[in-house]
Every structure is written in C-alpha cells, then in structure tokens.
Amino acid sequence: LISGTKNTIYPLQVENFVSLTIHGKNPDGTAKCMDYWKVKMIADNWLASHVFLKHTSELAKVGWDSMVSSNNNAMLSLVFPVLDPLSGDAFELGSRVREILKFETLASQDQAAA
C-alpha cells in the first residue's frame, strides 16, 4: 500500500499504519516488520509467557487473538491516512487501496499455484 500510493496526492507512510507486525521505519523509509511467527511465538511460548516476558507475552496474545484469524491467514491492520475521511480524496484513496489489495491477492494466488 505504501509503494502503491507513493506517487499520488495521498501517499501512505509507515506512520499511517497500526499493525501487530509493523513497528517503525527502516533507514530507507520502508516499514520495519516483525515476522508474524515471532509475534505468535512471544504470545504462545511457555518460557516467554511464564518466565522472561510475561507482560509482553500477555499483550502479544491479546493482540494476536484480536487481530489475526484463527487459521492465521488474515491479519487486521489499521490505516489512518492524513486526510478528511469524507472528502473526494478519501474515497479515491479507498478505491486505490482496493485495487492494490485485489492485485496483491491475485498475485499471491498465482504464486501459490506455481
């Protein structure tokens, strides 16, 4: 979504996203992402949840259970663009995001079939 809106009047930036796996920006400006399995491991690992990272593990588990589907195929990530939500630009951004997600979904299905 960041690269797909880069050359528009409403470019999405890392700061516009809230997600379990996005945690900051890399030096090159791309999103710094944690592998989802690492978040799941912190949430489910016995040592993490009972010995080393009890509070962090509890928060990761609540986040995981709230934002990830039971089969781990979908994750809720929130986008907060800096524009009026009822403006024409907002509706145009919504259309662009749907196009990007449709393209990425079809591309991932083609890769899975290969």
Side-chain angles (χ1 to χ4, degrees):
L1 294 177
I2 293 170
S3 63
T5 61
K6 181 172 52 176
N7 296 319
T8 66
I9 61 171
Y10 41 76
L12 295 174
Q13 305 292 320
V14 173
E15 296 83 8
N16 299 122
F17 290 84
V18 176
S19 177
L20 284 174
T21 58
I22 296 175
H23 61 99
K25 188 188 295 189
N26 288 315
D28 66 357
T30 60
K32 185 184 293 185
C33 297
M34 180 183 286
D35 294 323
Y36 84 92
W37 63 267
K38 291 177 184 174
V39 178
K40 181 121 175 85
M41 181 183 71
I42 291 170
D44 292 345
N45 182 278
W46 188 88
L47 283 174
S49 64
H50 289 85
V51 180
F52 298 115
L53 304 168
K54 185 173 182 174
H55 185 69
T56 302
S57 177
E58 290 170 359
L59 291 175
K61 183 157 183 50
V62 168
W64 190 269
D65 291 345
S66 300
M67 300 181 79
V68 179
S69 66
S70 60
N71 60 3
N72 298 331
N73 286 336
M75 179 187 310
L76 179 63
S77 294
L78 307 172
V79 182
F80 297 98
V82 182
L83 49 97
D84 178 357
L86 299 177
S87 69
D89 289 342
F91 287 97
E92 187 178 332
L93 174 60
S95 294
R96 180 71 184 130
V97 165
R98 283 191 296 277
E99 288 174 18
I100 294 167
L101 293 175
K102 181 178 180 180
F103 174 81
E104 292 297 330
T105 299
L106 293 172
S108 70
Q109 291 170 347
D110 286 346
Q111 288 178 358

